[in-house]
Amino acid sequence: MRGAPEPALAGQTVQEVTRHGKHILVRFNSGTLAIHLGMTGKLLIDADPSPYLRAEFTFDGFRLVFDDIRQFGRMAWSESLPQNVARLGPDPLEIDAAAFTARLRAKRTRIKALLLNQEFLRGMGNIYADEALFRAGVHPLAQAAKLPRRKTLALHAAITDVLNEAIANGGSSISDYVDTNGQRGSFQDRHRVYGRAGEPCISCARPIKRIVVAQRGTHFCPNCQRM
DNA sequence: ACTAATGTTGTAGG
DNA sequence: GCCTACAACATTAG
């Protein structure tokens, strides 16, 4: 799809499937297929035909389909680990509070932009950045390096909680996200700020505000999340 | 019929 | 090197 010419995958066996942040790594005998779903990419088992099909893999007994309406998704073959994957920051569920705080201290950028930076932490996206900032009571425009220690600790805990709850609830299906079996998630029903602009804050009842930070819609409670 | 919004990130430029 | 804005795309909501 990009970079190296298509490998001869015919007859090869999948050795292992792992995840690195938002990248899905499928290791074959002779190399690794790195898949990123972008915003609307889907990996589906035995899916019906779609005008947005990007790739199709035939296994013994089933087909694996890569479908992507907006086509921001990517698939890249490499014999080692792709560079953009190697550069990713630590997994947010693995880094401890002390290390998280230390990494954050060096950053001059706004905390929302930092949470979206995959070289800072791998795997945080727009929804979970907003949800974690709300739970921690941190304003999305706050300068990362200036956050008091109690806020960085609260943010670390909030990230852990939000991600664990989101995973347990199958992720957030805002419009068309489904898992490999075509099932929608339910975490969108538990969003406290994301997609709730104008609605009352669940904590103080004042309206949730929407601004743009790092080109992304950013939802927060101006009363509960002070600078 | 417009305009702005949507789960992301590589790249260009200050 | 660090940080920010734009572009890539298709569809939907207002």
Side-chain angles (χ1 to χ4, degrees), chain A residues 127-147:
Chain A
I127 292 174
Y128 303 119
D130 282 4
E131 293 296 317
L133 288 170
F134 173 76
R135 291 188 186 206
V138 173
H139 195 291
L141 294 175
Q143 296 289 305
K146 291 184 181 170
L147 285 176

Side-chain angles (χ1 to χ4, degrees), chain A residues 4-221:
Chain A
E6 272 189 44
L9 286 178
Q12 287 203 41
T13 302
V14 173
Q15 302 293 325
E16 184 183 34
V17 180
T18 56
R19 179 190 60 80
H20 239 62
K22 300 175 186 176
H23 299 254
I24 298 163
L25 304 177
V26 186
R27 189 162 61 80
F28 288 87
N29 305 54
S30 64
T32 299
L33 189 65
I35 302 168
H36 193 300
L37 298 177
M39 291 178 91
T40 55
K42 303 173 188 176
L43 286 176
L44 299 167
I45 303 286
D46 291 332
D48 294 332
S50 154
Y52 309 108
L53 177 119
R54 302 292 304 282
E56 187 172 39
F57 301 88
T58 303
F59 291 91
D60 291 335
F62 68 97
R63 290 173 302 115
L64 180 67
V65 170
F66 180 33
D67 186 273
D68 187 9
I69 293 180
R70 286 180 73 181
Q71 313 210 120
F72 291 169
R74 291 286 180 268
M75 240 183 226
W77 173 264
S78 73
E79 292 180 4
S80 56
L81 201 63
Q83 243 196 3
N84 57 345
V85 176
R87 271 204 306 266
L88 294 174
D91 189 294
L93 292 182
E94 290 173 6
I95 190 170
D96 66 31
F100 175 78
T101 297
R103 278 178 82 73
L104 210 140
R105 283 279 161 265
K107 302 298 183 178
R108 287 257 171 283
T109 188
R110 296 165 296 185
I111 188 63
K112 169 71 187 272
L114 187 61
L115 292 181
L116 294 176
N117 182 347
Q118 303 298 298
E119 294 180 26
F120 176 66
L121 285 184
R122 64 177 188 251
M124 291 284 296
N126 198 39
I127 292 174
Y128 303 119
D130 282 4
E131 293 296 317
L133 288 170
F134 173 76
R135 291 188 186 206
V138 173
H139 195 291
L141 294 175
Q143 296 289 305
K146 291 184 181 170
L147 285 176
R149 180 177 166 76
R150 62 168 218 288
K151 292 263 190 179
T152 67
L153 296 180
L155 183 54
H156 177 266
I159 288 170
T160 303
D161 291 347
V162 163
L163 292 180
N164 280 328
E165 288 176 31
I167 292 165
N169 285 274
S172 303
S173 294
I174 303 299
S175 55
D176 56 3
Y177 165 73
V178 291
D179 69 15
T180 304
N181 295 312
Q183 293 292 309
R184 289 170 58 84
S186 64
F187 194 68
Q188 68 278 4
D189 299 332
R190 298 168 184 252
H191 290 172
R192 299 181 187 179
V193 287
Y194 186 88
R196 298 193 62 243
E199 295 175 35
C201 171
I202 62 153
S203 176
C204 75
R206 293 179 57 177
I208 299 300
K209 194 174 175 189
R210 181 188 179 279
I211 60 176
V212 174
V213 184
Q215 343 301 23
R216 311 302 303 279
T218 297
H219 314 73
F220 71 108
C221 173

